[in-house]
Amino acid sequence: MATASSLLSEEKFLCSVCLDVFTEPVSTPCGHNFCRACIDKYWDANDIFQCPLCKREFSPRPELQINTFISELAAEFKTLVQVKGSAPEPQLPEAEDVLCDICSDMKDNAVKSCLTCLVSFCEAHLEPHKRVASLKGHTLLDPVRNLDDRTCKKHNKITELYCRTDQAFICVLCIKTDHKTHNVVPLEVEYEATIAKKDKTMANIQKMKQSRHEKIDEFEKVPDVSQKEAEREKEASVQVFTDLIRSIQRSQAELVEVIEERHGAIKQKAEDFLTELRMEVAELESRSGQLELLSQSKDHHHFLQSFPTLCSPLNTDWVDIDVHSDLSFERARSAVTHLKRRVDEIMEELPEIKMKRKREHAVDLTFDPDTAFCELVISQDGKQVRNSDTELDLPTSPKRFKIYPEVLAKEGFTAGKFYFEVQVKGKTDWFVGVVGESVDRKQDKALSVKNAYWTIGLLKGIYKAFTTPRVKLTLKEKLQKVGIFVDYNKGEVSFYDVNSKSHIYSITGYHFTEKLYPYFCVQGNTDGANSAPLIITPVTQTH
């Protein structure tokens, strides 16, 4: 009969979260046990309530009760360990030396492993291998963990051969089946052949170590060198911009002065003309009075003598005289506008500046559950979406996507510019971008601009822009976060690598006429390989 100590092995009473003996153990609905504090902390840190071991999800959050049976056993185990407390507290199995497989109570450390028996022995239990003739021929070596890994799973025999064709360990029966025509040698032969390469391999390792040490030295100097270059570049750039600002300010002052001088000259000219005109009006009024008096005189001689003088024209003909207000400086303004535009263009050639200016149009988005495919799970804050691979009981909605795991944001846009960022880290397949409000949500339609999709994505390890035709995108690094910028009025959708602040691709030349919605497709989980969520991340200026 098994002893209490063999039944109460430590691994049976370890919480898989804290890796310590249970404290207040509780059981989840799936039957797994955890410390109450551990499972509460695990669930408090997540939006989805699932078992840390089997990943089964629970909704709503389960009310957990103390498992009295496990609690009593854990207490008994702790008592048993304390009784044996004269010996050092045993380590966790993964941190111990290899243990003897024969010892039934407190296991001693193994001193040898037998490749024939596939068992590890302590000094006492190894004794038969030293004494019994039939056991002396067994292959012994220093203690080895996981001896089962050295057994052929198909024939249950020790793998004492090596297939060079498949680079696999095989047993003698494998030669007659799967490796009949392959290059097969005994392990000792492959070992000798491999050990012969040791010196060359060691030399290569040393060479690689040396090259990496050189790189380390090089990179350690980078911050200091970069600091000096940054200071020089800042000083030169500040000086250039300072000179430009001073030049513009001087030109501005000179232009204002010229405008004021021209205005003053025009004003003075107009005042001089007014003075002269008023004098001539007074002269004409005087002539009019004199003419009236002469007409009443009976002295015909005097009248005829004076009349020509009173009728003579004045010196100035005002018909063609005008005061032109020549205050137009359009050429100067145009030059300054062109300079500003050119400076902006040059500044936007710097990816950090370009991204900063795109982020100025950032919008706050949340996923729209009414549009979500029936297998999609959206977090409580509306910022994360993942595929559960299980059809959920959701209300019918004309806005809901029916064929693929797609979802839209609640917010739509009909003018101006907007920008948002999506984390795609950990995903192997995904699509993001914008779609038109009229996009078909019930039929199997291809991702393309003709179907009102303006998107890029990762499909079977290849980045693509889903234009017509599709464009393969070549990127230096794997995308972790994608920035999407839309200029509705210009008909342009641009995509950026947020981490490297680099432009990925732009879809241009379109005339948008309907509301646009941010679009997200998480694709299938692919047996867990693509289970990471798509996350709408807050846009900051400190990336």
Side-chain angles (χ1 to χ4, degrees), residues 355 357-365 409-422 432-437 454 482-496 512 514-520 536 539:
M355 285 294 291
R357 293 182 178 178
K358 300 302 181 189
R359 288 195 179 105
E360 291 173 356
H361 302 282
V363 291
D364 185 21
L365 303 178
K410 291 181 180 179
E411 299 75 16
F413 304 88
T414 56
K417 302 172 182 178
F418 63 95
Y419 174 86
F420 60 98
E421 294 178 353
V422 187
V432 296
V434 294
V435 299
E437 186 175 25
W454 291 269
V482 180
I484 298 98
F485 174 77
V486 179
D487 189 330
Y488 189 101
N489 299 337
K490 287 180 64 176
E492 177 180 311
V493 182
S494 299
F495 301 89
Y496 296 87
F512 299 130
E514 62 178 331
K515 185 176 286 189
L516 297 182
Y517 287 90
Y519 164 85
F520 315 84
I536 299 173
V539 177

CSV table of all heavy atoms in Angstrom, one decimal, residues 355 357-365 409-422 432-437 454 482-496 512 514-520 536 539:
chain,number,residue,atom,x,y,z
A,355,MET,N,4.8,62.0,-38.3
A,355,MET,CA,3.9,61.3,-37.4
A,355,MET,C,3.3,62.2,-36.3
A,355,MET,O,2.1,62.1,-36.0
A,355,MET,CB,4.7,60.2,-36.7
A,355,MET,CG,5.0,59.0,-37.5
A,355,MET,SD,3.5,58.1,-38.0
A,355,MET,CE,2.9,57.4,-36.5
A,357,ARG,N,2.6,65.4,-36.7
A,357,ARG,CA,1.5,66.2,-37.3
A,357,ARG,C,0.3,65.3,-37.6
A,357,ARG,O,-0.8,65.8,-37.6
A,357,ARG,CB,2.1,66.9,-38.5
A,357,ARG,CG,3.1,67.9,-38.1
A,357,ARG,CD,3.7,68.7,-39.3
A,357,ARG,NE,4.6,69.7,-38.9
A,357,ARG,CZ,5.3,70.5,-39.7
A,357,ARG,NH1,5.2,70.4,-41.0
A,357,ARG,NH2,6.2,71.4,-39.2
A,358,LYS,N,0.5,64.1,-38.0
A,358,LYS,CA,-0.7,63.2,-38.2
A,358,LYS,C,-1.4,63.0,-36.9
A,358,LYS,O,-2.7,63.0,-36.9
A,358,LYS,CB,-0.2,61.8,-38.7
A,358,LYS,CG,0.5,61.9,-40.1
A,358,LYS,CD,-0.3,62.5,-41.1
A,358,LYS,CE,0.5,62.5,-42.4
A,358,LYS,NZ,-0.1,63.4,-43.5
A,359,ARG,N,-0.7,62.8,-35.8
A,359,ARG,CA,-1.3,62.5,-34.5
A,359,ARG,C,-2.1,63.7,-34.0
A,359,ARG,O,-3.0,63.6,-33.1
A,359,ARG,CB,-0.2,62.2,-33.4
A,359,ARG,CG,0.4,60.8,-33.6
A,359,ARG,CD,1.1,60.4,-32.3
A,359,ARG,NE,1.7,59.1,-32.5
A,359,ARG,CZ,3.0,58.8,-32.7
A,359,ARG,NH1,3.8,59.8,-32.8
A,359,ARG,NH2,3.4,57.6,-32.8
A,360,GLU,N,-1.9,64.9,-34.5
A,360,GLU,CA,-2.7,66.1,-34.2
A,360,GLU,C,-4.1,65.9,-34.6
A,360,GLU,O,-5.0,66.6,-34.1
A,360,GLU,CB,-2.1,67.3,-34.8
A,360,GLU,CG,-0.7,67.7,-34.2
A,360,GLU,CD,-0.1,68.9,-35.0
A,360,GLU,OE1,-0.6,69.3,-36.0
A,360,GLU,OE2,1.0,69.3,-34.6
A,361,HIS,N,-4.4,64.9,-35.5
A,361,HIS,CA,-5.8,64.7,-35.9
A,361,HIS,C,-6.3,63.4,-35.3
A,361,HIS,O,-7.3,62.8,-35.8
A,361,HIS,CB,-5.8,64.6,-37.4
A,361,HIS,CG,-5.3,65.8,-38.1
A,361,HIS,ND1,-6.0,66.9,-38.3
A,361,HIS,CD2,-4.1,66.1,-38.7
A,361,HIS,CE1,-5.3,67.8,-38.9
A,361,HIS,NE2,-4.1,67.3,-39.2
A,362,ALA,N,-5.8,63.0,-34.1
A,362,ALA,CA,-6.2,61.7,-33.5
A,362,ALA,C,-7.6,61.8,-33.0
A,362,ALA,O,-8.1,62.9,-32.6
A,362,ALA,CB,-5.3,61.4,-32.3
A,363,VAL,N,-8.3,60.7,-33.1
A,363,VAL,CA,-9.7,60.6,-32.7
A,363,VAL,C,-9.8,59.5,-31.7
A,363,VAL,O,-9.1,58.5,-31.7
A,363,VAL,CB,-10.7,60.4,-33.9
A,363,VAL,CG1,-10.8,61.6,-34.7
A,363,VAL,CG2,-10.3,59.2,-34.7
A,364,ASP,N,-10.8,59.6,-30.8
A,364,ASP,CA,-11.0,58.5,-29.8
A,364,ASP,C,-12.1,57.6,-30.3
A,364,ASP,O,-13.2,58.0,-30.6
A,364,ASP,CB,-11.5,59.2,-28.5
A,364,ASP,CG,-11.6,58.1,-27.3
A,364,ASP,OD1,-11.0,57.1,-27.4
A,364,ASP,OD2,-12.4,58.4,-26.4
A,365,LEU,N,-11.7,56.3,-30.5
A,365,LEU,CA,-12.6,55.3,-31.0
A,365,LEU,C,-13.0,54.2,-30.0
A,365,LEU,O,-12.2,53.9,-29.1
A,365,LEU,CB,-12.0,54.6,-32.3
A,365,LEU,CG,-11.5,55.5,-33.4
A,365,LEU,CD1,-10.8,54.7,-34.5
A,365,LEU,CD2,-12.7,56.3,-34.0
A,409,ALA,N,-15.8,50.6,-35.9
A,409,ALA,CA,-15.8,51.6,-34.8
A,409,ALA,C,-17.2,52.2,-34.8
A,409,ALA,O,-17.9,52.3,-35.8
A,409,ALA,CB,-14.7,52.6,-34.9
A,410,LYS,N,-17.6,52.7,-33.6
A,410,LYS,CA,-18.9,53.4,-33.5
A,410,LYS,C,-18.9,54.7,-34.3
A,410,LYS,O,-19.9,55.2,-34.8
A,410,LYS,CB,-19.2,53.7,-32.1
A,410,LYS,CG,-19.6,52.5,-31.2
A,410,LYS,CD,-19.9,52.9,-29.8
A,410,LYS,CE,-20.3,51.7,-28.9
A,410,LYS,NZ,-20.5,52.0,-27.5
A,411,GLU,N,-17.7,55.3,-34.3
A,411,GLU,CA,-17.5,56.7,-34.8
A,411,GLU,C,-17.3,56.7,-36.4
A,411,GLU,O,-16.5,55.9,-36.8
A,411,GLU,CB,-16.4,57.4,-34.2
A,411,GLU,CG,-16.5,57.6,-32.6
A,411,GLU,CD,-16.3,56.3,-31.8
A,411,GLU,OE1,-15.7,55.4,-32.4
A,411,GLU,OE2,-16.7,56.3,-30.6
A,412,GLY,N,-18.1,57.5,-37.1
A,412,GLY,CA,-17.9,57.6,-38.5
A,412,GLY,C,-17.5,59.1,-38.9
A,412,GLY,O,-17.8,60.0,-38.1
A,413,PHE,N,-17.0,59.3,-40.1
A,413,PHE,CA,-16.5,60.6,-40.5
A,413,PHE,C,-16.9,60.9,-41.9
A,413,PHE,O,-16.9,60.1,-42.8
A,413,PHE,CB,-15.0,60.6,-40.4
A,413,PHE,CG,-14.5,60.3,-39.0
A,413,PHE,CD1,-14.3,58.9,-38.6
A,413,PHE,CD2,-14.3,61.2,-38.0
A,413,PHE,CE1,-13.8,58.6,-37.4
A,413,PHE,CE2,-13.9,60.9,-36.7
A,413,PHE,CZ,-13.7,59.6,-36.4
A,414,THR,N,-17.3,62.2,-42.1
A,414,THR,CA,-17.8,62.6,-43.5
A,414,THR,C,-17.0,63.8,-44.0
A,414,THR,O,-17.3,64.3,-45.1
A,414,THR,CB,-19.2,63.0,-43.4
A,414,THR,OG1,-19.4,64.0,-42.4
A,414,THR,CG2,-20.1,61.8,-43.1
A,415,ALA,N,-15.9,64.2,-43.3
A,415,ALA,CA,-15.1,65.4,-43.8
A,415,ALA,C,-13.9,65.4,-42.9
A,415,ALA,O,-13.7,64.8,-41.9
A,415,ALA,CB,-15.9,66.7,-43.7
A,416,GLY,N,-12.9,66.3,-43.4
A,416,GLY,CA,-11.7,66.6,-42.6
A,416,GLY,C,-10.7,65.4,-42.6
A,416,GLY,O,-10.7,64.5,-43.4
A,417,LYS,N,-9.9,65.5,-41.5
A,417,LYS,CA,-8.8,64.5,-41.3
A,417,LYS,C,-9.0,63.8,-40.0
A,417,LYS,O,-9.5,64.4,-39.0
A,417,LYS,CB,-7.4,65.2,-41.3
A,417,LYS,CG,-7.2,66.0,-42.6
A,417,LYS,CD,-5.9,66.8,-42.5
A,417,LYS,CE,-5.6,67.6,-43.7
A,417,LYS,NZ,-4.4,68.5,-43.6
A,418,PHE,N,-8.7,62.5,-40.0
A,418,PHE,CA,-8.7,61.8,-38.7
A,418,PHE,C,-7.6,60.7,-38.7
A,418,PHE,O,-7.2,60.2,-39.7
A,418,PHE,CB,-10.1,61.2,-38.4
A,418,PHE,CG,-10.6,60.2,-39.3
A,418,PHE,CD1,-10.4,58.8,-39.1
A,418,PHE,CD2,-11.3,60.6,-40.5
A,418,PHE,CE1,-10.9,57.9,-40.0
A,418,PHE,CE2,-11.8,59.6,-41.3
A,418,PHE,CZ,-11.6,58.3,-41.1
A,419,TYR,N,-7.2,60.3,-37.5
A,419,TYR,CA,-6.0,59.4,-37.3
A,419,TYR,C,-6.3,58.5,-36.1
A,419,TYR,O,-6.8,59.0,-35.1
A,419,TYR,CB,-4.7,60.2,-37.1
A,419,TYR,CG,-3.5,59.4,-36.7
A,419,TYR,CD1,-2.7,58.8,-37.7
A,419,TYR,CD2,-3.2,59.2,-35.4
A,419,TYR,CE1,-1.6,58.1,-37.4
A,419,TYR,CE2,-2.0,58.4,-35.1
A,419,TYR,CZ,-1.3,57.9,-36.1
A,419,TYR,OH,-0.2,57.1,-35.8
A,420,PHE,N,-5.9,57.2,-36.2
A,420,PHE,CA,-6.1,56.3,-35.0
A,420,PHE,C,-5.0,55.3,-35.2
A,420,PHE,O,-4.4,55.1,-36.2
A,420,PHE,CB,-7.5,55.7,-35.0
A,420,PHE,CG,-7.9,54.9,-36.2
A,420,PHE,CD1,-7.7,53.5,-36.2
A,420,PHE,CD2,-8.4,55.5,-37.3
A,420,PHE,CE1,-8.1,52.8,-37.3
A,420,PHE,CE2,-8.8,54.8,-38.4
A,420,PHE,CZ,-8.6,53.4,-38.4
A,421,GLU,N,-4.7,54.6,-34.0
A,421,GLU,CA,-3.7,53.5,-34.0
A,421,GLU,C,-4.2,52.2,-33.5
A,421,GLU,O,-5.1,52.2,-32.6
A,421,GLU,CB,-2.5,54.0,-33.1
A,421,GLU,CG,-1.8,55.2,-33.7
A,421,GLU,CD,-0.7,55.7,-32.8
A,421,GLU,OE1,-0.5,55.2,-31.6
A,421,GLU,OE2,0.1,56.6,-33.2
A,422,VAL,N,-3.7,51.1,-34.0
A,422,VAL,CA,-4.2,49.8,-33.7
A,422,VAL,C,-3.0,48.9,-33.4
A,422,VAL,O,-2.1,48.8,-34.2
A,422,VAL,CB,-5.0,49.1,-34.8
A,422,VAL,CG1,-5.7,47.8,-34.4
A,422,VAL,CG2,-6.1,50.1,-35.4
A,432,VAL,N,-6.7,46.0,-41.2
A,432,VAL,CA,-7.2,47.2,-40.6
A,432,VAL,C,-7.3,48.3,-41.7
A,432,VAL,O,-6.6,48.2,-42.7
A,432,VAL,CB,-6.3,47.7,-39.5
A,432,VAL,CG1,-6.3,46.7,-38.3
A,432,VAL,CG2,-4.9,47.9,-39.9
A,433,GLY,N,-8.1,49.3,-41.4
A,433,GLY,CA,-8.2,50.4,-42.4
A,433,GLY,C,-9.6,51.1,-42.2
A,433,GLY,O,-10.0,51.3,-41.0
A,434,VAL,N,-10.2,51.5,-43.3
A,434,VAL,CA,-11.5,52.2,-43.2
A,434,VAL,C,-12.4,51.6,-44.3
A,434,VAL,O,-11.9,51.0,-45.3
A,434,VAL,CB,-11.5,53.7,-43.4
A,434,VAL,CG1,-10.7,54.4,-42.2
A,434,VAL,CG2,-10.8,54.1,-44.7
A,435,VAL,N,-13.7,51.6,-44.1
A,435,VAL,CA,-14.7,51.2,-45.1
A,435,VAL,C,-15.8,52.2,-45.2
A,435,VAL,O,-16.0,53.0,-44.3
A,435,VAL,CB,-15.3,49.8,-44.7
A,435,VAL,CG1,-14.2,48.7,-44.6
A,435,VAL,CG2,-16.1,49.9,-43.4
A,436,GLY,N,-16.5,52.1,-46.4
A,436,GLY,CA,-17.6,53.0,-46.6
A,436,GLY,C,-18.8,52.5,-45.8
A,436,GLY,O,-19.0,51.3,-45.6
A,437,GLU,N,-19.8,53.3,-45.4
A,437,GLU,CA,-20.9,52.9,-44.7
A,437,GLU,C,-21.8,51.9,-45.4
A,437,GLU,O,-22.4,51.1,-44.8
A,437,GLU,CB,-21.8,54.2,-44.3
A,437,GLU,CG,-23.0,53.9,-43.4
A,437,GLU,CD,-23.7,55.1,-43.0
A,437,GLU,OE1,-23.6,56.2,-43.8
A,437,GLU,OE2,-24.3,55.2,-42.0
A,454,TRP,N,-10.7,50.2,-47.8
A,454,TRP,CA,-9.4,50.8,-48.0
A,454,TRP,C,-8.5,50.2,-46.8
A,454,TRP,O,-8.5,50.8,-45.7
A,454,TRP,CB,-9.5,52.3,-47.9
A,454,TRP,CG,-10.2,52.9,-49.1
A,454,TRP,CD1,-9.6,53.2,-50.3
A,454,TRP,CD2,-11.6,53.1,-49.3
A,454,TRP,NE1,-10.6,53.7,-51.2
A,454,TRP,CE2,-11.8,53.6,-50.6
A,454,TRP,CE3,-12.7,52.8,-48.5
A,454,TRP,CZ2,-13.1,53.9,-51.1
A,454,TRP,CZ3,-14.0,53.2,-49.0
A,454,TRP,CH2,-14.1,53.7,-50.3
A,482,VAL,N,-0.1,49.8,-35.9
A,482,VAL,CA,-0.3,50.5,-37.2
A,482,VAL,C,-1.1,51.8,-36.9
A,482,VAL,O,-2.1,51.8,-36.2
A,482,VAL,CB,-1.2,49.6,-38.1
A,482,VAL,CG1,-1.4,50.3,-39.4
A,482,VAL,CG2,-0.5,48.2,-38.3
A,483,GLY,N,-0.6,52.9,-37.6
A,483,GLY,CA,-1.3,54.1,-37.6
A,483,GLY,C,-2.0,54.3,-38.9
A,483,GLY,O,-1.5,54.1,-39.9
A,484,ILE,N,-3.3,54.8,-38.8
A,484,ILE,CA,-4.1,55.0,-40.0
A,484,ILE,C,-4.5,56.5,-40.0
A,484,ILE,O,-5.1,57.0,-39.1
A,484,ILE,CB,-5.4,54.1,-40.0
A,484,ILE,CG1,-5.0,52.6,-40.1
A,484,ILE,CG2,-6.2,54.4,-41.2
A,484,ILE,CD1,-5.0,51.9,-38.7
A,485,PHE,N,-4.2,57.2,-41.1
A,485,PHE,CA,-4.5,58.6,-41.3
A,485,PHE,C,-5.4,58.7,-42.5
A,485,PHE,O,-5.1,58.2,-43.6
A,485,PHE,CB,-3.2,59.4,-41.5
A,485,PHE,CG,-3.5,60.9,-41.8
A,485,PHE,CD1,-3.9,61.7,-40.8
A,485,PHE,CD2,-3.4,61.3,-43.1
A,485,PHE,CE1,-4.1,63.1,-41.1
A,485,PHE,CE2,-3.6,62.7,-43.4
A,485,PHE,CZ,-4.0,63.5,-42.4
A,486,VAL,N,-6.5,59.4,-42.4
A,486,VAL,CA,-7.4,59.6,-43.5
A,486,VAL,C,-7.7,61.1,-43.7
A,486,VAL,O,-8.0,61.9,-42.8
A,486,VAL,CB,-8.8,58.9,-43.2
A,486,VAL,CG1,-9.8,59.2,-44.3
A,486,VAL,CG2,-8.6,57.4,-42.9
A,487,ASP,N,-7.4,61.5,-45.0
A,487,ASP,CA,-7.8,62.9,-45.4
A,487,ASP,C,-9.0,62.7,-46.3
A,487,ASP,O,-8.9,62.4,-47.5
A,487,ASP,CB,-6.6,63.5,-46.1
A,487,ASP,CG,-6.9,65.0,-46.4
A,487,ASP,OD1,-8.1,65.4,-46.6
A,487,ASP,OD2,-5.9,65.8,-46.5
A,488,TYR,N,-10.2,62.9,-45.7
A,488,TYR,CA,-11.5,62.7,-46.4
A,488,TYR,C,-11.6,63.6,-47.7
A,488,TYR,O,-11.9,63.1,-48.7
A,488,TYR,CB,-12.6,62.9,-45.5
A,488,TYR,CG,-14.0,62.5,-46.0
A,488,TYR,CD1,-14.5,61.3,-45.6
A,488,TYR,CD2,-14.7,63.3,-46.9
A,488,TYR,CE1,-15.8,60.9,-46.1
A,488,TYR,CE2,-15.9,62.9,-47.4
A,488,TYR,CZ,-16.5,61.7,-47.0
A,488,TYR,OH,-17.7,61.3,-47.5
A,489,ASN,N,-11.2,64.8,-47.5
A,489,ASN,CA,-11.4,65.8,-48.6
A,489,ASN,C,-10.5,65.5,-49.8
A,489,ASN,O,-10.8,65.7,-50.9
A,489,ASN,CB,-11.2,67.2,-48.1
A,489,ASN,CG,-12.3,67.6,-47.0
A,489,ASN,OD1,-13.3,67.0,-47.0
A,489,ASN,ND2,-11.9,68.5,-46.2
A,490,LYS,N,-9.3,65.0,-49.5
A,490,LYS,CA,-8.3,64.7,-50.5
A,490,LYS,C,-8.5,63.3,-51.1
A,490,LYS,O,-7.8,62.9,-52.1
A,490,LYS,CB,-6.9,64.8,-50.0
A,490,LYS,CG,-6.4,66.3,-49.8
A,490,LYS,CD,-5.0,66.4,-49.3
A,490,LYS,CE,-4.0,65.8,-50.3
A,490,LYS,NZ,-2.6,66.0,-49.8
A,491,GLY,N,-9.3,62.4,-50.4
A,491,GLY,CA,-9.5,61.1,-50.9
A,491,GLY,C,-8.3,60.2,-50.7
A,491,GLY,O,-7.9,59.4,-51.5
A,492,GLU,N,-7.7,60.3,-49.5
A,492,GLU,CA,-6.4,59.6,-49.2
A,492,GLU,C,-6.5,58.9,-47.9
A,492,GLU,O,-7.0,59.4,-46.9
A,492,GLU,CB,-5.3,60.7,-49.2
A,492,GLU,CG,-3.9,60.1,-48.8
A,492,GLU,CD,-2.9,61.2,-48.8
A,492,GLU,OE1,-2.9,62.0,-49.7
A,492,GLU,OE2,-2.1,61.3,-47.8
A,493,VAL,N,-6.0,57.6,-47.9
A,493,VAL,CA,-5.9,56.8,-46.7
A,493,VAL,C,-4.4,56.3,-46.6
A,493,VAL,O,-3.9,55.7,-47.5
A,493,VAL,CB,-6.8,55.6,-46.7
A,493,VAL,CG1,-6.7,54.8,-45.4
A,493,VAL,CG2,-8.3,56.0,-46.9
A,494,SER,N,-3.7,56.7,-45.5
A,494,SER,CA,-2.3,56.3,-45.4
A,494,SER,C,-2.1,55.5,-44.1
A,494,SER,O,-2.8,55.6,-43.1
A,494,SER,CB,-1.5,57.6,-45.3
A,494,SER,OG,-1.6,58.4,-46.4
A,495,PHE,N,-1.1,54.6,-44.2
A,495,PHE,CA,-0.8,53.7,-43.1
A,495,PHE,C,0.7,53.9,-42.7
A,495,PHE,O,1.6,54.0,-43.5
A,495,PHE,CB,-1.0,52.2,-43.6
A,495,PHE,CG,-2.4,52.0,-44.1
A,495,PHE,CD1,-2.8,52.2,-45.4
A,495,PHE,CD2,-3.4,51.5,-43.2
A,495,PHE,CE1,-4.1,52.0,-45.8
A,495,PHE,CE2,-4.7,51.3,-43.6
A,495,PHE,CZ,-5.0,51.5,-44.9
A,496,TYR,N,0.9,53.8,-41.4
A,496,TYR,CA,2.2,54.0,-40.8
A,496,TYR,C,2.6,53.0,-39.8
A,496,TYR,O,1.7,52.4,-39.1
A,496,TYR,CB,2.2,55.4,-40.1
A,496,TYR,CG,2.0,56.6,-41.0
A,496,TYR,CD1,0.7,57.0,-41.3
A,496,TYR,CD2,3.1,57.2,-41.7
A,496,TYR,CE1,0.5,58.1,-42.2
A,496,TYR,CE2,2.9,58.3,-42.5
A,496,TYR,CZ,1.6,58.7,-42.8
A,496,TYR,OH,1.4,59.7,-43.7
A,512,PHE,N,-14.4,60.5,-51.8
A,512,PHE,CA,-15.3,59.9,-50.9
A,512,PHE,C,-16.6,60.7,-50.9
A,512,PHE,O,-16.6,61.9,-50.9
A,512,PHE,CB,-14.7,60.0,-49.5
A,512,PHE,CG,-13.4,59.2,-49.3
A,512,PHE,CD1,-12.3,59.7,-48.8
A,512,PHE,CD2,-13.4,57.9,-49.7
A,512,PHE,CE1,-11.1,59.0,-48.6
A,512,PHE,CE2,-12.2,57.1,-49.6
A,512,PHE,CZ,-11.1,57.7,-49.1
A,514,GLU,N,-19.5,59.1,-49.0
A,514,GLU,CA,-20.3,58.6,-47.9
A,514,GLU,C,-19.5,58.6,-46.6
A,514,GLU,O,-18.3,58.8,-46.6
A,514,GLU,CB,-20.8,57.2,-48.2
A,514,GLU,CG,-19.6,56.1,-48.4
A,514,GLU,CD,-20.1,54.7,-48.7
A,514,GLU,OE1,-21.2,54.4,-48.2
A,514,GLU,OE2,-19.4,54.0,-49.3
A,515,LYS,N,-20.1,58.2,-45.5
A,515,LYS,CA,-19.5,58.2,-44.2
A,515,LYS,C,-18.5,57.1,-44.2
A,515,LYS,O,-18.8,56.0,-44.6
A,515,LYS,CB,-20.5,58.1,-43.1
A,515,LYS,CG,-19.9,58.1,-41.7
A,515,LYS,CD,-21.0,58.0,-40.6
A,515,LYS,CE,-21.7,59.4,-40.5
A,515,LYS,NZ,-22.6,59.4,-39.3
A,516,LEU,N,-17.3,57.3,-43.6
A,516,LEU,CA,-16.2,56.3,-43.5
A,516,LEU,C,-16.1,55.9,-42.0
A,516,LEU,O,-16.2,56.7,-41.1
A,516,LEU,CB,-14.9,56.9,-43.9
A,516,LEU,CG,-14.7,57.3,-45.4
A,516,LEU,CD1,-13.3,57.8,-45.7
A,516,LEU,CD2,-15.1,56.1,-46.3
A,517,TYR,N,-15.9,54.5,-41.8
A,517,TYR,CA,-15.8,54.0,-40.5
A,517,TYR,C,-14.5,53.2,-40.4
A,517,TYR,O,-14.1,52.5,-41.3
A,517,TYR,CB,-16.9,53.0,-40.2
A,517,TYR,CG,-18.3,53.7,-40.0
A,517,TYR,CD1,-19.2,53.9,-41.0
A,517,TYR,CD2,-18.7,54.0,-38.7
A,517,TYR,CE1,-20.4,54.5,-40.8
A,517,TYR,CE2,-19.9,54.6,-38.4
A,517,TYR,CZ,-20.8,54.8,-39.5
A,517,TYR,OH,-22.0,55.4,-39.3
A,518,PRO,N,-13.8,53.4,-39.3
A,518,PRO,CA,-12.6,52.6,-39.0
A,518,PRO,C,-13.0,51.1,-39.0
A,518,PRO,O,-14.0,50.7,-38.4
A,518,PRO,CB,-12.1,53.1,-37.6
A,518,PRO,CG,-12.5,54.5,-37.6
A,518,PRO,CD,-13.9,54.5,-38.3
A,519,TYR,N,-12.1,50.3,-39.6
A,519,TYR,CA,-12.5,48.9,-39.8
A,519,TYR,C,-11.4,47.9,-39.2
A,519,TYR,O,-10.2,48.2,-39.3
A,519,TYR,CB,-12.6,48.6,-41.3
A,519,TYR,CG,-12.6,47.2,-41.8
A,519,TYR,CD1,-13.7,46.4,-41.8
A,519,TYR,CD2,-11.4,46.6,-42.2
A,519,TYR,CE1,-13.7,45.1,-42.2
A,519,TYR,CE2,-11.3,45.3,-42.6
A,519,TYR,CZ,-12.5,44.5,-42.6
A,519,TYR,OH,-12.5,43.2,-43.0
A,520,PHE,N,-11.8,46.8,-38.7
A,520,PHE,CA,-10.9,45.9,-38.1
A,520,PHE,C,-11.4,44.4,-38.4
A,520,PHE,O,-12.5,44.1,-38.2
A,520,PHE,CB,-10.9,46.1,-36.5
A,520,PHE,CG,-10.8,47.5,-36.1
A,520,PHE,CD1,-11.9,48.3,-36.0
A,520,PHE,CD2,-9.6,48.1,-35.9
A,520,PHE,CE1,-11.9,49.6,-35.7
A,520,PHE,CE2,-9.5,49.4,-35.5
A,520,PHE,CZ,-10.6,50.2,-35.4
A,536,ILE,N,-7.4,49.1,-29.9
A,536,ILE,CA,-7.3,50.5,-30.2
A,536,ILE,C,-6.6,51.2,-29.1
A,536,ILE,O,-7.0,51.2,-28.0
A,536,ILE,CB,-8.7,51.1,-30.3
A,536,ILE,CG1,-9.5,50.4,-31.5
A,536,ILE,CG2,-8.7,52.6,-30.6
A,536,ILE,CD1,-11.0,50.8,-31.5
A,539,VAL,N,-3.6,57.6,-28.5
A,539,VAL,CA,-2.6,58.2,-29.3
A,539,VAL,C,-1.9,59.3,-28.5
A,539,VAL,O,-2.5,60.2,-27.9
A,539,VAL,CB,-3.2,58.9,-30.6
A,539,VAL,CG1,-2.1,59.6,-31.4
A,539,VAL,CG2,-3.8,57.8,-31.4
